[in-house]
Amino acid sequence: MPNANYREDFPVYEKNPELIYLDSAASSLRARPIIDAMSQYASYAHANIHRGAYRLSFEATEKYEEVRKKVAKWIGAKESNEVIFTQGTTDSMNHLMHFFEDDDRFEKGKKIVLSIFEHHSNLVPWQQLAKKKGMILEYIYDFSEESLKQIDTTTQIVAISLMSNAVGLIPPIETIIQKAHAVGALVVGDGAQYITHREINVCQLDIDFFAFSGHKCFGPTGIGVLYGKRQWLEAMPPPRFGGDMIEYVTEQETTFAGLPNKLEAGTPNIDGVIGLGAAVDYMIYRQVQNNNTLDALREYAVDQLSELDFIRLVQPLKDSETILYGPIISFTVKDVHPHDVASILDQSNIAIRAGHHCAQPLMKYLELTGTCRISFSIYNTRDDVDALILALKSVRRWLGYES
Ligand code: PMP
């Protein structure tokens, strides 16, 4: 496999050569260039940003703002001020939820439309918003013409994951955006999984908001991005008040800074931003997005898993023409709880995810309590899949079943 060498980029394998890491959808492993960039910054270049009148601070500010430009270019934003650094996808969604909550345009009786495939991060905030404002929360369960008619003139927000973390499904986002805009609704895109696997151009897509997290892109935790069209970000009230987000403060009044500072109060996660910048460079260098090798690896794994009669693949809407799948596979093992499967596989150094994947409404809809989930990244190879298949063959026997 051409990507076999990529393992060398990931120091964790030096200490754990036996590790078979199949949980990148939860968090990707950390690549050396990112660790090095963060260590370099912390050792030799750290100072607080935006406020120092000395070289180290100027340089730190420059580095921080360069990352904003880099991210903006990478995701196809019109301008870097449309990129706001947050703590991650969850934090981005919560910023948005407070924005919609405070804005009178979003009204009682109007609809928020979600897909059933959403992660709780792109579900609970909207559920809470609906409760607070008396809005109606509606789900679509597939992406057929008929179902998309739910996005009607009473809809104000459509919140949708561009790749489901629970089952890997990629919905027809272009069509959804067209339908939403045709009725004047805004589209919030959860890109937490999509961002590492598919190229995104927010401008071409014409999406209103798009969020992702650094730790799923080989970068550090605690950093993420909220992209928003300028007109919306300008309308957003500051999510937090304090230093760095002000223009002028008197004893009784404050005027706020412009974008992006207005939305980034206090000393930000500068280390995280440096790490995210290095992660973007790394992803471009390794051509992580639209990676055919990973798609082929998924196909190989699906084929191999399909051969096992005690495995049930969980691939909702797989026969629908408008649905694609990313390199995330959910499955169940006959008679065995997913947590038991994960614990048994751990004996063979195979790390997989088990449970509801923060998508309990989806699990309920699929009449499952949970699944086993494997997810691939550039350090995975067919050998990893082969080892998984071998280990899966023994799971049921471990628990006393004959085969
Ligand atoms: N959305 C999706 C699709 C995810 O996979 C995740 C992380 N599992 C999140 C949102 C939340 O991301 P974070 O925990 O980094 O805020």
Side-chain angles (χ1 to χ4, degrees):
M1 295 289 284
N3 70 349
N5 289 334
Y6 294 177
R7 281 169 83 95
E8 288 174 8
D9 293 350
F10 296 86
V12 67
Y13 288 118
E14 287 165 19
K15 272 225 155 186
N16 304 277
E18 307 296 321
L19 173 68
I20 294 170
Y21 189 72
L22 297 173
D23 197 19
S24 299
S27 208
S28 45
L29 297 177
R30 205 68 61 80
R32 192 186 300 282
I34 293 140
I35 299 166
D36 288 349
M38 291 182 73
S39 159
Q40 179 78 14
Y41 170 76
S43 308
Y44 307 113
H46 172 67
N48 210 334
I49 57 165
H50 292 156
R51 52 190 87 163
Y54 50 90
R55 192 170 58 85
L56 206 57
S57 173
F58 289 144
E59 286 175 1
T61 306
E62 231 167 70
K63 284 191 172 64
Y64 182 88
E65 292 303 331
E66 264 167 25
V67 176
R68 198 188 305 280
K69 286 187 201 140
K70 187 178 298 197
V71 171
K73 185 163 175 232
W74 185 55
I75 65 171
K78 260 196 204 125
E79 48 181 300
S80 57
N81 283 348
E82 292 177 322
V83 168
I84 304 301
F85 293 122
T86 65
Q87 290 170 19
T89 309
T90 307
D91 196 38
S92 299
M93 294 307 177
N94 278 273
H95 277 4
L96 282 180
M97 181 247 171
H98 291 303
F99 165 44
F100 295 134
E101 188 186 354
D102 286 347
D103 193 318
D104 292 340
R105 280 173 291 190
F106 300 93
E107 292 172 8
K108 187 170 176 187
K110 296 286 168 67
K111 282 198 319 197
I112 305 170
V113 175
L114 311 182
S115 90
I116 193 66
F117 300 97
E118 301 314 311
H119 186 280
H120 294 162
S121 289
N122 195 30
L123 188 157
V124 182
W126 311 126
Q127 202 182 60
Q128 297 305 308
L129 180 70
K131 280 187 201 304
K132 282 184 178 155
K133 296 205 77 144
M135 295 179 83
I136 298 160
L137 190 64
E138 248 183 44
Y139 290 86
I140 43 180
Y141 299 89
D142 61 58
F143 302 94
S144 62
E145 271 291 313
E146 198 48 38
S147 299
L148 293 182
K149 283 189 186 147
Q150 277 175 257
I151 304 174
D152 59 18
T153 50
T154 63
T155 309
Q156 293 196 304
I157 301 166
V158 177
I160 194 103
S161 165
L162 279 72
M163 184 184 290
S164 144
N165 67 304
V167 293
L169 176 146
I170 303 175
I173 188 68
E174 287 92 350
T175 314
I176 294 167
I177 293 172
Q178 277 163 16
K179 300 252 179 229
H181 286 172
V183 294
L186 289 180
V187 181
V188 177
D190 173 349
Q193 298 298 334
Y194 191 86
I195 190 76
T196 42
H197 293 306
R198 295 288 180 268
E199 270 172 27
I200 177 101
N201 187 305
V202 287
C203 217
Q204 262 169 28
L205 204 53
D206 198 24
I207 198 158
D208 299 282
F209 297 102
F210 181 75
F212 64 93
S213 307
H215 70 99
K216 298 193 199 274
C217 318
F218 313 99
T221 53
I223 189 71
V225 163
L226 170 63
Y227 158 82
K229 285 182 183 165
R230 175 183 255 284
Q231 82 215 59
W232 293 117
L233 294 184
E234 268 174 356
M236 263 172 91
R240 278 187 286 267
F241 302 102
D244 234 27
M245 50 71 67
I246 58 99
E247 184 187 55
Y248 199 72
V249 184
T250 65
E251 280 193 2
Q252 301 296 334
E253 294 298 333
T254 296
T255 50
F256 303 131
L259 292 177
N261 299 36
K262 178 182 82 169
L263 302 176
E264 291 179 9
T267 301
N269 181 359
I270 311 170
D271 298 74
V273 167
I274 299 299
L276 179 65
V280 171
D281 288 338
Y282 179 76
M283 286 186 285
I284 294 170
Y285 171 61
R286 286 299 190 202
Q287 300 181 347
V288 172
Q289 294 168 314
N290 296 350
N291 184 311
N292 295 335
T293 312
L294 275 190
D295 290 335
L297 192 59
R298 176 184 182 274
E299 261 175 51
Y300 178 68
V302 166
D303 288 348
Q304 295 297 305
L305 287 164
S306 306
E307 301 270 302
L308 305 177
D309 58 7
F310 53 89
I311 297 279
R312 198 187 121 209
L313 289 166
V314 180
Q315 296 175 287
L317 310 180
K318 110 171 157 17
D319 297 325
S320 161
E321 274 176 14
T322 56
I323 298 300
L324 297 168
Y325 271 88
I328 298 173
I329 305 171
S330 247
F331 61 88
T332 56
V333 177
K334 191 173 163 209
D335 305 320
V336 188
H337 192 278
H339 284 141
D340 290 335
V341 177
S343 301
I344 295 167
L345 293 180
D346 185 44
Q347 307 297 314
S348 310
N349 296 308
I350 300 174
I352 71 157
R353 190 68 149 199
H356 54 65
H357 316 297
C358 297
Q360 282 181 332
L362 174 64
M363 292 299 137
K364 182 137 198 273
Y365 175 67
L366 297 173
E367 296 177 356
L368 294 166
T369 50
T371 71
C372 304
R373 181 189 73 187
I374 55 172
S375 47
F376 298 123
S377 188
I378 54 165
Y379 31 75
N380 293 120
T381 64
R382 281 187 180 215
D383 288 347
D384 293 344
V385 175
D386 294 342
L388 170 77
I389 298 293
L390 194 67
L392 278 173
K393 283 182 180 162
S394 64
V395 162
R396 283 172 49 82
R397 256 177 272 131
W398 258 71
L399 293 168
Y401 296 103
E402 272 178 25
S403 64

